[in-house]
């Protein structure tokens, strides 16, 4: 397996995690309480998912998450529309997926922190990132 294939596989996994987390947040707005202080729209590093996350978080703050309204913003770009629509279909209803929620939150946050560490401008910024990475090891989120 080449380095390029490994990177593509990792990128696909990160995209899938971001898409899955957005889906769950849209389907079950109570999950916002579980990730508050952990995940923000900035943690969605993939451009399309970042845009969708900003909309979802804004709509959640306003008290009205509307998947159809979010999808309508992507109606002009069929590829983006299909990808955004796919993110709205993955459900969080069985036990296996509930267990995957924490892993997904951690994966999205870890990727965000990894990218931030590569772009860190100074040592204090890097120290904050390292502390946040360390805190992920102790993160526990229950859906019950």
């Amino acid at each position: 397996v080449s380095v390029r294939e490994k990177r593509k596989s990792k990128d696909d996994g990160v995209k899938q995690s971001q898409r899955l987390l957005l889906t769950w947040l849209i389907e079950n707005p109570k999950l916002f309480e579980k990730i508050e202080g952990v995940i923000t729209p900035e943690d969605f590093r993939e451009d399309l998912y970042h845009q969708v996350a900003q909309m979802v978080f804004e709509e959640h703050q306003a008290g009205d998450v509307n998947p159809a309204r979010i999808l309508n913003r992507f109606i002009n770009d069929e590829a983006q529309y299909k990808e955004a629509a796919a993110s709205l279909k993955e459900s969080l209803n069985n036990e296996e997926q509930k267990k995957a929620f924490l892993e997904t939150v951690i994966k999205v946050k870890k990727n965000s922190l990894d990218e931030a560490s590569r772009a860190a401008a100074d040592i204090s910024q890097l120290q904050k990132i390292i502390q946040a990475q360390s805190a992920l090891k102790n993160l526990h989120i229950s859906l019950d």
Side-chain angles (χ1 to χ4, degrees):
V1 178
S2 72
V3 171
R4 171 180 266 149
E5 288 170 343
K6 282 183 182 178
R7 179 167 288 153
K8 179 168 174 24
S9 176
K10 179 185 181 287
D11 290 348
D12 289 347
V14 168
K15 278 184 180 181
Q16 182 179 11
S17 294
Q18 291 178 36
R19 182 175 65 233
L20 198 54
L21 186 53
L22 283 171
T23 300
W24 291 337
L25 290 171
I26 290 166
E27 282 189 354
N28 188 350
K30 290 182 180 179
L31 295 177
F32 277 94
E33 297 168 19
K34 307 291 185 182
I35 64 161
E36 191 172 342
V38 178
I39 297 289
T40 69
E42 282 62 45
D43 292 314
F44 294 85
R45 307 302 284 197
E46 185 66 33
D47 187 50
L48 172 64
Y49 298 136
H50 179 72
Q51 292 175 49
V52 173
Q54 285 181 309
M55 292 175 214
V56 170
F57 277 71
E58 284 170 13
E59 288 191 2
H60 175 71
Q61 289 259 269
D64 180 31
V65 178
N66 183 329
R69 185 172 47 229
I70 292 168
L71 285 177
N72 282 338
R73 296 192 188 164
F74 295 96
I75 203 85
N76 294 332
D77 183 332
E78 189 173 340
Q80 279 191 338
Y81 180 87
K82 285 180 180 177
E83 197 165 341
S87 77
L88 301 179
K89 291 182 180 166
E90 296 175 39
S91 183
L92 181 63
N93 56 12
N94 69 40
E95 285 305 311
E96 186 176 302
Q97 288 171 320
K98 287 179 182 178
K99 290 176 188 172
F101 181 73
L102 175 62
E103 293 171 15
T104 302
V105 168
I106 289 172
K107 186 179 271 188
V108 169
K109 188 66 176 183
K110 183 181 180 322
N111 178 65
S112 175
L113 291 170
D114 288 349
E115 284 192 24
S117 71
R118 288 192 290 274
D122 59 43
I123 196 75
S124 68
Q125 193 178 17
L126 192 57
Q127 286 173 328
K128 287 179 185 174
I129 293 166
I130 291 169
Q131 287 174 338
Q133 287 171 328
S134 180
L136 279 181
K137 295 174 186 163
N138 300 320
L139 183 65
H140 296 288
I141 299 174
S142 171
L143 295 181
D144 300 324

